[in-house]
Amino acid sequence: VSDFGGANRIRLASSGLLATGLWSPDSSQLSFWDSTGGEDKIYAVGADGRGLRQIWRTERSIRVGATIWSSDGKSLFISTGSMTGGDKATVWKADAEGSHVEKLVDGCSWAYDAAPDGKYLIGALSWGDEVGIYEISLADRKCIPMLPGVETFGVRFATDGRSLLYAVAAPGEVTFYRQAWRKGKVVGKPQIALKLPFAFPLAYQGNAYDFSALPDKP
């Protein structure tokens, strides 16, 4: 981790095969996982390099695809899938200190962000027969299709919690869309927030890009 200019670098972890998750809402913690040895071991660590702890270890047949923080920073939501194939995921909820892990929902999408109100997760299926953006209601653990047919990788809630942001790649361009969202439901039609006059893959051995989630634009 470092400043934007590359100064004040701190090594948070070192291993043979690491993948990063996301920052906690206050940017004080980072999640990541270590796939060395065929098992995925999920960790959290402070931005200053302190407080490194293991959150969970998966079975060899299960691979981690994403880790995100709850809106209050007290929990991690971990999306896992099978090495043998299949497009759907299992989402787990883990205490941020690693004291408890439980299955939240099975056979849904990969979870990419948590709503600021703490009531929903948003995610996507990027391949298979049920491509689209999905929502997980934390109160009743339901998997709810939001935008069927939208092929994307990575979805964000805007920081004000009033819309969803996602990208769609097409020949020669990538378009970011904003979809109004209120209390677990989409409102109206998606609007173009930003169009880039060049193309790039949204996924390449994981996410191939990222974007900020400001209230007014990505």
Side-chain angles (χ1 to χ4, degrees):
V1 64
S2 72
D3 296 343
F4 279 125
N8 299 316
R9 292 181 293 175
I10 300 173
R11 177 180 292 180
L12 301 182
S14 179
S15 189
L17 185 58
L18 295 173
T20 54
L22 296 182
W23 291 102
S24 61
D26 63 0
S27 300
S28 67
Q29 302 280 319
L30 178 71
S31 61
F32 68 93
W33 62 95
D34 181 2
S35 299
T36 307
E39 295 176 323
D40 286 349
K41 298 177 284 293
I42 299 102
Y43 294 88
V45 64
D48 57 1
R50 299 177 181 177
L52 177 66
R53 69 266 188 200
Q54 182 173 312
I55 303 299
W56 192 40
R57 173 184 289 186
T58 68
E59 300 177 1
R60 285 183 175 270
S61 61
I62 302 298
R63 304 313 300 264
V64 174
T67 61
I68 62 174
W69 294 81
S70 62
S71 56
D72 60 8
K74 296 180 179 180
S75 302
L76 281 166
F77 297 103
I78 303 163
S79 298
T80 65
S82 173
M83 290 178 62
T84 59
D87 53 343
K88 294 186 177 181
T90 298
V91 180
W92 309 77
K93 182 180 180 180
D95 182 89
E97 298 303 320
S99 60
H100 178 71
V101 179
E102 62 177 316
K103 183 183 291 187
L104 186 67
V105 63
D106 202 12
C108 194
S109 72
W110 305 85
Y112 292 135
D113 200 8
D117 65 8
K119 297 180 179 180
Y120 301 93
L121 305 180
I122 198 72
L125 289 176
S126 303
W127 56 88
D129 297 330
E130 299 179 62
V131 164
I133 294 175
Y134 291 78
E135 176 183 271
I136 297 173
S137 170
L138 296 178
D140 50 21
R141 305 190 179 201
K142 286 186 177 180
C143 182
I144 306 166
M146 287 281 101
L147 297 171
V150 172
E151 185 174 349
T152 189
F153 194 99
V155 188
R156 294 278 191 273
F157 282 103
T159 53
D160 58 9
R162 297 174 63 85
S163 60
L164 310 175
L165 301 169
Y166 60 92
V168 175
E173 64 183 30
V174 171
T175 304
F176 287 85
Y177 290 91
R178 175 184 299 280
Q179 171 64 64
W181 179 92
R182 302 287 188 280
K183 297 181 180 180
K185 299 182 182 298
V186 294
V187 180
K189 295 182 178 180
Q191 304 295 317
I192 295 176
L194 176 68
K195 182 172 286 190
L196 300 175
F198 53 86
F200 55 86
L202 303 185
Y204 180 76
Q205 297 181 356
N207 60 301
Y209 78 113
D210 203 354
F211 60 94
S212 60
L214 302 176
D216 58 340
K217 61 182 178 180

